Amino acid sequence: MPSAEPTRLTDDLWLAAHDGVKGARLIGDWPLGVGLATGLLAELIHGGFLELCEGELFRIQDTVAALPSDPALRPVLVTMQAEEQTWPAPPAPVQVRATAHEEQWGPRAWERGAWPPPVQQETRHRRPGHPLNAWISYLAYDSRAEARVLDRLSRTGLVQREEHRRLFGGTTVRYVPFDSYASGTPANTITHAVQTGRTLPWADVILAGLFLATGLHHHALATLSPYERSLLTQQIRTGLADPGGSGVKAMLRELLHAADAAIGEAAMR
């Protein structure tokens, strides 16, 4: 019996990417993998565990006790933490003095009413981060992100594990949505919101953006007219607009652009 707890946006993406009757996957492995990886990173950014700046991810929480209990998110942060342990120690800050004023005015020029003495300045080294593109690829490759999402979905009862015997021995395992309602709800929610003029919450804004980036909108949002699709695109832009340019919305916007680029580059190979 499926749980009544609300699903997360990455769970919704996986469900929407599978046919509710046959369980068939509606998009390719790589677009889905990139979408799931991006969804997990979006959840971490929105939850305050990660920051994204100029193509690099930075962990905010430094203690194990502060890691999320979520079975899909915690392993991502633990892996990042382990990776950071292999980084070389950052060099100590270097103290420098600007001597231009001293050379021009002399060491005691301020006593003669000239410019004040030069102040000691500190050169700080930038904190290293995790490359966003590398982490999207890492989580997408070998179904790493999908494994995390399936673990979370299995606990809610929204997916079923199916085993099929092979003709010459052995079995294959696949996961399918519990039913067509579970797989259809995420896209139906977005479709209904667009058609009724309702503003999408942040999770559905990201989910809709991932539909477009992965090409899943051709299946999940097929009932939207061209005009309604333009309204959805405008909703995504408005929902991620950040006048300050450095808040969570700006980070999520950068994240979606990276996902779109990762899928587009793969398609050109």
Side-chain angles (χ1 to χ4, degrees):
M1 182 70 180
S3 170
E5 296 181 4
T7 53
R8 307 295 290 271
L9 80 90
T10 317
D11 300 348
D12 286 341
L13 178 63
W14 189 93
L15 291 169
H18 290 79
D19 183 271
V21 177
K22 299 180 180 179
R25 186 164 291 184
L26 302 176
I27 56 177
D29 292 347
W30 180 251
L32 179 59
V34 170
L36 296 175
T38 305
L40 291 178
L41 294 176
E43 291 181 29
L44 287 167
I45 290 173
H46 190 268
F49 296 99
L50 287 179
E51 285 184 347
L52 174 59
C53 180
E54 297 180 354
E56 288 189 314
L57 295 162
F58 300 88
R59 275 195 320 116
I60 297 177
Q61 306 292 348
D62 295 324
T63 61
V64 175
L67 293 174
S69 59
D70 187 290
L73 302 182
R74 185 182 180 91
V76 177
L77 289 179
V78 169
T79 303
M80 283 188 172
Q81 191 176 48
E83 182 181 60
E84 291 168 9
Q85 300 303 315
T86 67
W87 292 352
V94 179
Q95 298 288 341
V96 298
R97 286 180 64 87
T99 59
H101 291 308
E102 288 185 349
E103 293 173 357
Q104 181 177 359
W105 300 99
R108 302 179 65 83
W110 67 91
E111 295 182 358
R112 295 183 277 105
W115 290 97
V119 296
Q120 198 169 30
Q121 298 178 346
E122 179 180 331
T123 300
R124 289 184 171 86
H125 293 278
R126 184 175 180 274
R127 184 163 63 105
H130 302 266
L132 173 61
N133 292 338
W135 266 86
I136 288 178
S137 297
Y138 169 77
L139 291 172
Y141 183 72
D142 204 22
S143 301
R144 291 187 179 95
E146 184 174 17
R148 301 270 63 82
V149 173
L150 286 173
D151 181 22
R152 189 164 64 184
L153 280 170
S154 297
R155 301 179 187 217
T156 64
L158 289 172
V159 295
Q160 299 181 92
R161 186 176 187 269
E162 292 185 350
E163 293 187 5
H164 298 275
R165 292 183 177 275
R166 292 179 176 175
L167 181 60
F168 298 102
T171 59
T172 59
V173 177
R174 71 167 186 165
Y175 290 86
V176 297
F178 180 79
D179 54 24
S180 59
Y181 178 80
S183 64
T185 296
N188 290 339
T189 300
I190 293 176
T191 298
H192 183 262
V194 173
Q195 293 175 339
T196 58
R198 185 172 60 85
T199 300
L200 294 173
W202 81 270
D204 286 342
V205 167
I206 300 301
L207 182 60
L210 291 175
F211 280 178
L212 297 177
T214 60
L216 184 56
H217 65 287
H218 293 299
H219 306 277
L221 305 178
T223 59
L224 291 180
S225 67
Y227 173 69
E228 289 168 340
R229 289 191 183 185
S230 68
L231 292 178
L232 176 59
T233 301
Q234 184 59 41
Q235 273 230 47
I236 296 172
R237 291 174 180 168
T238 302
L240 296 179
D242 186 1
S246 59
V248 171
K249 290 183 178 181
M251 298 180 199
L252 295 176
R253 185 172 63 248
E254 181 180 351
L255 189 61
L256 280 180
H257 288 164
D260 188 59
I263 295 170
E265 289 175 2
M268 295 296 292
R269 292 173 187 168

